Structure formats: structure tokens, C-alpha cells
Amino acid sequence: MARESFDKEIQFLRLLALTGDAYNRQQFAARLGISVHTYDKTLRYLKEMMNANQQGLTNEQGIALTEAIRYNHYESADPLLLFLYRAKSIKASESVRLTLLLSAMREQALTVMELMDLCSDTMPADYPVPDEKTIRGDLKYLEEIGVIYRADGKRPYRYRASTELVDALSDDELIDLYDYVDILANTQIPSVQGYLLRDTLKKALRLRGLETDITESHVYKYHYHSRILDEAHLYTIYQAIEARRKLTFLYLSPKKEKRYAAKNTNPLFERESEGLLLTVLPLRAIYDHQYGRWYLIAHGKQGVMKFRMEGLTGVELSDAVAEEEFNMRLAHAEMQLQQSWVIDSMKPIPIKARFFRPEGSAHDFVRERVESQGQWGTITEESETTFIYQIIVNGITEIKPWLRSFGSSCEVLAPLWLRKEFIAEWKEIQSYYEPIREDI
């Protein structure tokens, strides 16, 4: 995963993906909380990153990718937002150096000194030649993440790329594995590591000359634009939860106008930040599939606190807490969220709804969807064409869109005030489609 923070680029891409050409440069910069100059520089930087990550393409393909930063997201099986991970996960010099090292170790096991000689002979002239300490640091990092291994236990150690699994597969098995990973990366969460694995398999296919045997046959998307971007924080949060460490970050509420706080690097132009600088103990990361949002559940000065991950910037690990304290805070949060549809912690409300089975269809997809998504709710058969669904949830804010998504297949029965709200909403929607002319 990414070694360095790229909060500005994340918010830039999110806003660009969601708004497209809705804003001009000045409006976009103001919405993001940066200057127009920084807007131009960031856009230019992102285009340069995209071009660098797509080396070897024809001019026509390169032009298309540059324009694609405006995102025809659903026309591609490869989410363009993911290129930020590939480009920013390591620095440019590291990218060149690690590529050389891995390519060499794929062919044979090499020592540190042999790898130093290789880099000295093959590194581009505009990149610094690494010293022994740098090479040893690279090898330690690659060994920790399982990319390479020590070929034997004798000194000097020899290192080789871990390619046994891929090399052991036949051509057909490698193609099947690629298709399997492609499907899971497009449908499961979190997905970034799945896409990175798919890239690795694609390179293995290319080395065997099998690239033409795979097709982008799975051109579909289950996820939202911003979901992949929010995964930038996910692994730092999981690391903090596993180590029971606090997190410090600047939080900008998605309800506010600005989505990013420019850093005050010049004291002459220093101004008070519009976000909240917080230190909290992370407890849970929760995903809402209805809206494609990640949430952080944490304990802070106000007790149990909930944050949308898209509002987190400058996330850093802080002090550790005792295991007893962590378990106590976690138990308290789980008790509050026990009846939450997602993260709501309001007063529990009993919900009762009637669902109608699809007419003229042997497949009861309505019942199947309620069973798979209805969480702890209970289902009671009412007739051959209907069944009753009941559940107690903390407030109706989060479950309401789910009930509404069934359209005419769902009728809210209780509470009565919620039923009246649904009736009023459907009447309002109906009014939008009423004919303007009386003779229509």
C-alpha cells in the first residue's frame, strides 16, 4: 500500500469524478480549498503520473487516457482511480530501482553486491545510484511483503523473486486465475489489493506471450468512484486497531463546502484550519454498500464517534492504549451499534413492512434479496404472494433508502408516521411525471 500521504490528490480525484465539468477552475479550487495555481499544478501532475504508468501505449491511446481523467469510469474494466496507488505507493526513483532489482532476481539468485553492480550499470543517468544501505533496505522491504526470499542460509545471502506459484501454473490455469481475481476485484471489498494482484498476473501472462488470450470480458462495476479512494486510509486504520493505537487526523465534514485543507507552509499566509484536529482510538471500520461509503467508528472525548472516511486527511498513528481499555471501548461501541442498520445510534424503532413477490416469475428474487440484505430482521409468510418483514433498528435514516429501493414490491405498515412519509414521497415523485398538457 501507499507509503506516503496523498490526501490532496484523493480529494481532487473524488471531486473531479463526481462533478466532471460542472465547475470551472476557480469554482473547483474554491470547493477543494486550494488556489487556482495549485489546481493547475495538481491536474498537470496527475496527468503526468497517468502517462508514466501507461508507458508503451500508442499516441492515440495516450491521448485517450489523458482525457479519461474526466472519467468514463463504467466503460472500463480497470478503474482509473486506482492509478493513484500505483504512482504514489513508491517514489519515482524507488519504482525504477525496485523494477530493476525484481527483474534481475526473477532470473537468478543474487547477492547485495551483485545487485549494487547491476544498479550501477543499468540505472538511468537522471537517477542516483543506490548505495549498499539503500539496497539492503529495499531487500528487507521486499522480503517482509513476500515478494522475494533468501535462496539459502549461507552468507553472503542470495535473494530471488518469489514466482514459484505463478511459474507452477499451466497457461490455462494462469488465465483462469486471472479471470477469477478480476471478478473478485470488481465485486468484493476492499478491492485495491485485488487490482494490484490482477496487474501482477497480467504481467505474468505478458511474459508468456498470452496477453492476447485474455479479454476484458467483465466490464461491470459494483462499487462507487470514491470507495477505492477511501481505501487509502483503510489499512492505516486496520494497523492502528490491531496495535490498539490512537489515530491523529484533520477531519473535514463532508457536509461542509471545502473538502481539503491546504497546508499552511508560508507563515505570511497562515490561516486557521476549517477542519477539526482530532486524536481518537479507532475501533471499527464499517462499509455501507447502499451508498458506497466507508465509516470509522472510534472513541474520543465525546464518547463513541463516527466519521466518514472521505473526510479524513493527514492520518497518522499515535500512542498505544492498554488492551483492557481497548476492549472496554470496543464493547461499549458494539452495544450502542447493536441495532444499527449501518452506524446510526438513535432510539430503537420497530419497523414492519409487507413485501410482494414478483408476478409471473418462478424466481422469487424479492424474497432472496430481503433474506440476504435484511440483517437480523424476521420474515413471516402471509400469503402466496406476500410476506411480512419485521426489524428493530436505531432510527429510520439508514434503513429508509433500502426499503424505498424495492419500489412497488414493498409496503411499509408500521410505524404509521413512517408509512405516511413514504406515501407523501411517492406522491411527490408522481407529481414530477404528471403531464403538463391536459390532453396528454
Side-chain angles (χ1 to χ4, degrees), residues 5 8 146:
S5 173
K8 179 175 62 179

Side-chain angles (χ1 to χ4, degrees), residues 197-377:
L197 175 58
R198 190 186 69 165
D199 285 351
T200 301
L201 295 174
K202 187 179 288 187
K203 291 176 183 177
L205 289 166
R206 189 182 298 118
L207 289 173
R208 296 193 189 185
L210 299 174
E211 192 172 16
T212 56
D213 294 337
I214 61 173
T215 58
E216 302 291 359
S217 56
H218 311 297
V219 185
Y220 55 84
K221 292 288 175 289
Y222 176 69
H223 48 251
Y224 293 77
H225 296 285
S226 60
R227 196 191 80 191
I228 292 177
L229 294 176
D230 290 338
E231 288 185 24
H233 302 307
L234 192 59
Y235 297 95
T236 304
I237 292 172
Y238 282 158
Q239 180 184 359
I241 292 175
E242 184 176 3
R244 301 186 300 277
R245 295 181 63 179
K246 294 183 178 180
L247 287 176
T248 298
F249 53 82
L250 183 69
Y251 185 66
L252 292 101
S253 172
K255 297 179 181 179
K256 294 186 177 181
E257 287 294 321
K258 292 187 178 180
R259 307 305 297 275
Y260 173 78
K263 293 179 174 58
N264 299 322
T265 56
N266 189 333
L268 295 177
F269 297 95
E270 187 172 355
R271 61 182 182 274
E272 185 177 352
S273 172
E274 296 188 13
L276 295 174
L277 185 61
L278 300 169
T279 299
V280 299
L281 178 63
L283 303 171
R284 282 283 185 268
I286 296 178
Y287 179 68
D288 178 11
H289 72 87
Q290 189 79 19
Y291 291 109
R293 293 172 180 163
W294 281 102
Y295 292 93
L296 168 64
I297 308 299
H299 181 273
K301 292 182 179 180
Q302 302 175 14
V304 177
M305 304 178 71
K306 295 164 280 189
F307 307 94
R308 281 189 21 200
M309 283 196 195
E310 64 185 85
L312 306 183
T313 58
V315 181
E316 295 180 357
L317 294 173
S318 186
D319 301 330
V321 301
E323 183 176 0
E324 294 77 11
E325 179 183 351
F326 179 85
N327 291 336
M328 179 186 66
R329 304 300 188 194
L330 178 60
H332 179 62
E334 289 179 338
M335 182 182 66
Q336 286 198 16
L337 301 175
Q338 186 176 7
Q339 294 179 312
S340 300
W341 186 255
V342 183
I343 62 168
D344 209 340
S345 54
M346 298 179 67
K347 180 181 177 181
I349 298 174
I351 305 291
K352 182 178 181 181
R354 175 182 290 119
F355 284 88
F356 298 86
R357 292 186 170 88
E359 297 181 5
S361 175
H363 182 61
D364 191 355
F365 56 85
V366 174
R367 172 69 179 257
E368 287 187 3
R369 184 182 167 197
V370 174
E371 287 178 343
S372 64
Q373 299 178 0
Q375 304 197 55
W376 61 92

Side-chain angles (χ1 to χ4, degrees), residues 120-187:
S120 178
D121 295 337
T122 57
M123 282 286 286
D126 51 345
Y127 288 102
V129 177
D131 56 17
E132 182 180 351
K133 182 179 179 181
T134 302
I135 296 295
R136 290 189 182 277
D138 290 340
L139 293 176
K140 180 180 179 182
Y141 166 68
L142 294 173
E143 189 177 10
E144 285 177 351
I145 63 176
V147 175
I148 64 173
Y149 66 95
R150 293 183 185 180
D152 55 57
K154 300 179 181 179
R155 292 181 180 272
Y157 296 128
R158 291 183 175 273
Y159 299 87
R160 185 169 185 128
S162 300
T163 60
E164 290 82 359
L165 175 61
V166 174
D167 293 341
L169 299 176
S170 67
D171 292 351
D172 290 339
E173 289 172 336
L174 187 59
I175 293 172
D176 289 343
L177 179 60
Y178 172 85
D179 288 337
Y180 174 77
V181 171
D182 183 47
I183 291 174
L184 291 185
N186 278 288
T187 58

